[in-house]
Amino acid sequence: MVLHPAAKVRQAGQDVTFCCKAAGTPPPPKYHWYHNGTLLEGKAQRSSGRLELRGLAPEQAGIYHCKASSEAGAIRSAPAQLTVLAQGQQSCRAEPEPSLVELPSECPQDASGSRYYNVGRCPSSPCPGGPAEPSGSCGEESGRCCGVRRMELRQVPCAGSLLPVKVVAECGCGPCALPRVLVRGRVTAADTGEPLRFGHIFLGGRKVGFTGYQGSFTIEVPPDTRRLVARFVDGQQRLVDAVKVLPFDRRGGAVYQEVKMLRKKEPVELDGGRSNAIPLGESGGRQPVGELVLPAGSFLRPSGEVFNGTVKASVTFVDPRDMGTASAASSDLSFADAEGEIVPLRTYGMFAVDFREGDSGVELQAGPVQVRMDAGQVWMAEHLQKMKLWSLNPESGLWEEEGVLRPAGGERRKREERTFLVGNLEIRERRLFNLDVPEDRRCFVKVRAYSNEKFNPYEQLEGVVVSLVNMEPQPGFPSNPRAWGRFDSVVTGPNGACLPAFCDGQRPDAYTALVTATLGGEELEAVASSPKLNPNAVGVAQPYLGKLGYRRSDHEDPALKKTAFQINVAKPDPNNVDESNGPVYSYRSLRECEEAPVSANHLRFYRVEVDKYEYNVVPFKESDVASWTGDYLAWWPNPQEFRACFIKVRLEGPQEYMVRSRNVGGSHPRTRGQLYGLRDSRSVRDQLLADTSGACVEFKCGGMLFDQSLADRTLVSIVPQGSCRRTAINSLLRDYLSRHPPLADNNHTAAFSMLAPLDPLGHNYGIYTVTDQNPRLAKEIAIGRCFAGTSDGFSREMRAAEGTAVTFSCQERPPGRESFFQRLLSSPAEA
């Protein structure tokens, strides 16, 4: 499906047009349209990729999708929501929705004991289109969305002064924000971590670029893409081509993805004139899953001529009995069924083949060849009847059926005690094959990610990549207690994520799932399961939680990471009210899963941010680019591009210290002296230096404000907590600031002030600047460089002696004496 129908909003009586388009060989001649799952009758609906509805009535609202078909098969489009408003009904209410931000710690709590303040927000929902669409209109809407129409400035009393905060006063329809949608990441070898240098990147059959020297890549997602299939090719042919279905955030911004590639198995020399057999999955001392049998004369040149000379044959097997291979497996193990629905497969192994002439290295084809699979490796009896051979379509990322594996006929060979399933295939253009069965025991698992351990509903993280690997741990089900059968990745939105998984209604422990979450390459932490399981923290009520058997990865060994959890994917019992509220939903209940309220059962990850605080005068939710508001006091002046700036502070003292950056307008006449925001960050101890810690503190970058007419050099003040005295300033940074006047007042030895540089300086100055289409990703990369003290590295271990901008010496103050930091909080005007 190359064009999917787009969501539309209309008022009753207006017209609407939906469009879809499929590609295939041969081109599909038939299209069918469905409304809420029901086939729409009519000649136009059967023969065209267009659906025109005139004079809409309220009952025509709902979900629409199309299905294209030919003798080769069928494919179904993604669903599109049609909203039909009554006459005069508004899709965008003027009154803002509640949205809470946390005020600084020095601000008083309200009557309920909360320091949160309602700044309001406008939902980024589409507004109705015009009274009539242009003839032939097929694409997305013209671009009107609900957004901020008016903001107002309020002053909140905090510690004897007033803290400015801008709140949304009115919402209204206006032009939609059109942020770029990107996928960024890094490609490395699965065994050594070696980067794929200057590898080729393909989208479909089109080459779109190369990986960088360190294996990094950036892909701009084409408009209307619902399934992003990328193929990474090693130009030196040392690694197996990786075909990946990459998750992305359709609302904009960048998602970070680590891509692993398998190393090709060393080729063996075969005599093309004789029959040969290559074992599949014999590494690690395991019993092979099967073998590839190549009869004499089966190797062919591209012209069709039989090749009987020396063949260099490399067959690389992805063995699901090895958990380490899950991240390197290609595609997402899905195929299109007879109805065109994309449904999952359960793998018993996949293999990549590479046959070449021994002398010239010219690629060879083969066929027909035989695949023999050991039936003893299939522990689920019903799978023996459904096992098939599949090949991967590198353009769609879908597996397509090559043949059926059937029990071998005739007598067994001498001393042959195994029973084999046998199938035939021809090896032509496609070089990646799979031993799979379709699996119809399917569910969805609800997962949410939070910014901290408080799990506040309004502090959910969006843009987090959540990955689920299906495993089969129980005897009688797998061929190995740690075998995996499937994997999926989904990006969290404003209401979390729903991950597909295999499940079982009869035996809760028939299938388990291992779940992880990352944000910009940073692993999030799962909720603890030991020493005592807390249902309120996990997010699932008993007794269903006990049935799921929730266990964090460090449950039995505290030395292990805390970044994953494992559950039994127990299909909910429809007759049990305790299992009707998540976190596992039946496969037909995807909509209930996606729309489940935050109060419903769900599983959780959170970001470990000890003593870190951010405050923006103009509220902005970094995980939702559409929440950006154009304002002179906005921390991020450009929603298309986010520039993160950090300064590295070294603190010499016996403790770890809070460090604040206060950011006000410095040189722009519209903002001079006005607050942009505050950032607090606790220093991290350097394990190699005694009584030394370092802090990477964000500050507002200097540069153009939102109107892009005049640059502002933010006045940045860095103030550490405690009795600290400034002892050194980076000489290069001091020289740069002196050569770019005016100079900020630096009289107070307990602080450091500067007018933010307009240039992206680097580690030699102690300043770290990263630009990205995703603000969180920009900050994560900058923090990683700051910790490492380099301009191109990445570390989570603080190296306080490297790449520092300013140094403070801190000591324990006498009892009863306030630090400058405390005086700044209690009486800022005097301080």
Side-chain angles (χ1 to χ4, degrees):
M1 189 64 65
V2 295
L3 176 65
H4 296 264
K8 306 281 177 107
V9 178
R10 291 289 182 272
Q11 290 188 335
Q14 289 185 336
D15 303 337
V16 72
T17 301
F18 289 110
C19 300
C20 72
K21 182 180 179 182
T25 306
K30 297 179 182 177
Y31 287 85
H32 294 86
W33 285 92
Y34 296 80
H35 175 222
N36 292 336
T38 301
L39 177 66
L40 295 176
E41 298 296 337
K43 184 177 181 181
Q45 281 75 26
R46 289 196 298 271
S47 60
S48 170
R50 292 169 56 86
L51 174 65
E52 298 180 359
L53 303 174
R54 306 295 182 191
L56 286 170
E59 59 269 19
Q60 290 178 284
I63 303 293
Y64 288 82
H65 78 267
C66 80
K67 183 177 77 174
S69 59
S70 71
E71 61 265 34
I75 192 70
R76 184 186 296 188
S77 75
Q81 175 78 43
L82 173 62
T83 303
V84 180
L85 304 173
Q87 291 290 343
Q89 180 184 354
Q90 297 295 319
S91 64
C92 179
R93 294 179 56 192
E95 182 182 354
E97 295 180 350
S99 179
L100 303 179
V101 298
E102 185 179 4
L103 298 177
S105 57
E106 61 267 27
C107 296
Q109 298 178 345
D110 61 18
S112 65
S114 170
R115 234 185 325 263
Y116 285 87
Y117 193 84
N118 182 15
V119 296
R121 65 180 289 271
C122 301
S124 56
S125 54
C127 291
E133 286 187 307
S135 178
S137 171
C138 252
E140 298 281 350
E141 294 283 26
S142 56
R144 285 177 56 79
C145 295
C146 188
V148 176
R149 176 167 288 174
R150 183 170 59 87
M151 299 189 78
E152 62 183 36
L153 181 66
R154 296 181 185 170
Q155 303 286 349
V156 179
C158 289
S161 65
L162 295 177
L163 179 75
V165 56
K166 287 212 166 185
V167 300
V168 178
E170 183 183 0
C171 301
C173 289
C176 295
L178 297 174
R180 296 168 66 196
V181 181
L182 301 175
V183 174
R184 289 192 166 174
R186 189 164 177 257
V187 189
T188 56
D191 54 352
T192 63
E194 172 192 359
L196 174 67
R197 294 191 169 110
F198 311 119
H200 307 278
I201 305 174
F202 293 84
L203 291 185
R206 184 170 58 92
K207 188 174 179 179
V208 295
F210 298 88
T211 60
Y213 184 76
Q214 295 294 336
S216 59
F217 68 89
T218 299
I219 298 173
E220 183 157 3
V221 181
D224 198 51
T225 299
R226 303 299 174 96
R227 181 179 165 88
L228 181 65
V229 180
R231 179 162 58 102
F232 299 91
V233 178
D234 178 14
Q236 300 182 41
Q237 293 297 309
R238 300 164 305 161
L239 304 173
V240 177
D241 292 1
V243 178
K244 296 290 184 179
V245 180
L246 300 174
F248 62 94
D249 191 345
R250 293 188 63 212
R251 295 166 308 142
V255 169
Y256 186 87
Q257 190 79 5
E258 289 279 356
V259 175
K260 303 293 184 183
M261 294 181 73
L262 283 173
R263 191 171 301 280
K264 283 186 177 179
K265 192 170 181 180
E266 285 296 319
V268 295
E269 290 193 351
L270 305 177
D271 183 349
R274 302 178 61 183
S275 180
N276 298 278
I278 300 175
L280 302 174
E282 81 288 0
S283 62
R286 299 185 185 91
Q287 184 80 6
V289 171
E291 59 184 5
L292 184 65
V293 180
L294 302 144
S298 59
F299 293 106
L300 307 170
R301 289 189 167 119
S303 63
E305 175 190 356
V306 175
F307 179 78
N308 287 322
T310 301
V311 177
K312 287 189 174 180
S314 171
V315 178
T316 307
F317 188 71
V318 179
D319 196 335
R321 295 173 297 181
D322 179 0
M323 278 296 296
T325 63
S327 61
S330 273
S331 178
D332 60 353
L333 289 171
S334 299
F335 76 105
D337 66 10
E339 292 300 313
E341 184 178 3
I342 296 178
V343 290
L345 293 167
R346 188 274 189 221
T347 187
Y348 281 88
M350 56 185 75
F351 56 97
V353 300
D354 186 25
F355 300 140
R356 296 183 182 273
E357 293 185 22
D359 295 329
S360 65
V362 173
E363 196 170 50
L364 294 171
Q365 300 176 354
V369 302
Q370 193 178 77
V371 177
R372 289 161 52 86
M373 182 180 181
D374 183 358
Q377 299 291 339
V378 184
W379 286 63
M380 299 178 75
E382 62 269 32
H383 283 181
L384 289 169
Q385 311 303 318
K386 300 192 292 184
M387 191 69 64
K388 294 181 180 180
L389 269 172
W390 309 77
S391 66
L392 181 63
N393 183 330
E395 295 190 14
S396 68
L398 296 173
W399 295 90
E400 298 176 4
E401 186 178 334
E402 289 280 341
V404 178
L405 288 167
R406 303 190 185 281
E411 297 182 2
R412 298 178 184 172
R413 290 180 262 177
K414 289 183 180 180
R415 296 185 302 277
E416 178 61 83
E417 297 179 353
R418 294 181 294 169
T419 302
F420 284 92
L421 302 175
V422 178
N424 297 304
L425 62 85
E426 294 189 357
I427 299 171
R428 297 290 187 257
E429 291 83 7
R430 296 185 185 177
R431 297 299 169 117
L432 190 59
F433 302 93
N434 210 339
L435 305 166
D436 276 30
V437 292
E439 179 59 273
D440 53 10
R441 290 176 292 185
R442 297 171 280 161
C443 290
F444 287 96
V445 179
K446 184 75 173 194
V447 178
R448 298 180 190 269
Y450 293 85
S451 60
N452 54 54
E453 240 180 319
K454 297 175 184 176
F455 304 121
N456 289 320
Y458 39 83
E459 292 185 312
Q460 291 189 65
L461 293 175
E462 302 174 39
V464 174
V465 179
V466 185
S467 299
L468 183 148
V469 179
N470 256 121
M471 300 186 299
E472 295 142 11
Q474 289 299 307
F477 282 76
S479 55
N480 178 290
R482 298 186 65 210
W484 61 270
R486 178 174 176 78
F487 51 87
D488 278 283
S489 295
V490 178
V491 176
T492 58
N495 200 33
C498 294
L499 288 105
F502 294 148
C503 58
D504 193 272
Q506 303 301 316
R507 294 182 56 174
D509 54 0
Y511 282 110
T512 69
L514 181 72
V515 187
T516 58
T518 60
L519 178 64
E522 173 198 0
E523 294 178 304
L524 303 191
E525 199 160 295
V527 178
S529 58
S530 63
K532 186 177 180 180
L533 192 64
N534 182 352
N536 291 329
V538 175
V540 181
Q542 295 284 21
Y544 198 16
L545 180 59
K547 188 175 180 180
L548 297 178
Y550 177 93
R551 292 160 69 94
R552 194 168 70 176
S553 46
D554 67 339
H555 184 83
E556 294 177 345
D557 184 355
L560 294 178
K561 282 185 170 184
K562 305 172 183 178
T563 53
F565 65 78
Q566 186 170 321
I567 60 167
N568 301 323
V569 192
K571 187 175 182 179
D573 181 353
N575 300 315
N576 187 340
V577 66
D578 292 327
E579 301 178 12
S580 63
N581 197 31
V584 182
Y585 295 82
S586 67
Y587 193 73
R588 296 298 173 190
S589 301
L590 174 59
R591 190 168 182 181
E592 287 86 341
C593 178
E594 292 179 333
E595 298 177 356
V598 72
S599 58
N601 288 335
H602 61 274
L603 297 157
R604 294 168 170 170
F605 286 94
Y606 63 94
R607 197 175 186 191
V608 181
E609 289 189 339
V610 180
D611 293 324
K612 187 174 182 180
Y613 173 73
E614 300 178 357
Y615 174 76
N616 297 326
V617 170
V618 180
F620 173 63
K621 197 173 182 180
E622 291 179 353
S623 57
D624 181 9
V625 178
S627 68
W628 180 86
T629 304
D631 192 283
Y632 280 101
L633 294 178
W635 185 276
W636 307 99
N638 183 353
Q640 299 281 352
E641 189 174 76
F642 297 89
R643 189 161 164 244
C645 294
F646 284 78
I647 184 171
K648 188 168 185 177
V649 182
R650 175 172 172 166
L651 298 112
E652 297 170 343
Q655 300 181 10
E656 295 177 339
Y657 302 90
M658 288 293 292
V659 183
R660 166 168 289 186
S661 79
R662 179 178 176 85
N663 303 265
V664 301
S667 59
H668 196 290
R670 291 288 297 267
T671 63
R672 187 178 294 122
Q674 297 186 61
L675 184 68
Y676 290 117
L678 307 171
R679 296 293 187 267
D680 292 346
S681 183
R682 183 173 290 279
S683 64
V684 177
R685 196 172 298 281
D686 188 321
Q687 300 299 321
L688 302 178
L689 298 175
D691 290 338
T692 303
S693 62
C696 294
V697 188
E698 185 185 9
F699 65 90
K700 186 184 184 308
C701 304
M704 293 290 184
L705 299 186
F706 90 101
D707 61 359
Q708 300 295 304
S709 63
L710 187 64
D712 180 42
R713 292 184 63 189
T714 312
L715 176 58
V716 182
S717 299
I718 303 297
V719 186
Q721 179 189 25
S723 298
C724 298
R725 179 173 54 88
R726 190 181 71 244
T727 56
I729 300 173
N730 182 298
S731 59
L732 290 177
L733 177 60
R734 185 175 58 240
D735 292 346
Y736 175 89
L737 295 175
S738 65
R739 286 186 285 106
H740 295 79
L743 286 172
D745 183 3
N746 255 322
N747 290 331
H748 204 295
T749 59
F752 168 73
S753 297
M754 69 174 182
L755 288 169
L758 297 178
D759 302 303
L761 298 181
H763 70 285
N764 290 327
Y765 299 79
I767 303 293
Y768 301 85
T769 305
V770 173
T771 302
D772 196 273
Q773 276 68 36
N774 182 309
R776 286 195 178 276
L777 189 55
K779 289 160 73 167
E780 286 303 320
I781 296 171
I783 290 172
R785 293 177 180 176
C786 179
F787 267 62
T790 66
S791 291
D792 57 359
F794 189 91
S795 176
R796 286 295 176 202
E797 294 183 4
M798 175 57 71
R799 299 168 190 165
E802 307 292 334
T804 300
V806 59
T807 301
F808 290 88
S809 177
C810 304
Q811 53 188 307
E812 296 303 300
R813 64 185 177 277
R817 179 182 169 187
E818 281 190 330
S819 69
F820 179 68
F821 186 89
Q822 290 172 323
R823 281 185 285 140
L824 186 68
L825 302 186
S826 59
S827 50
E830 179 186 337

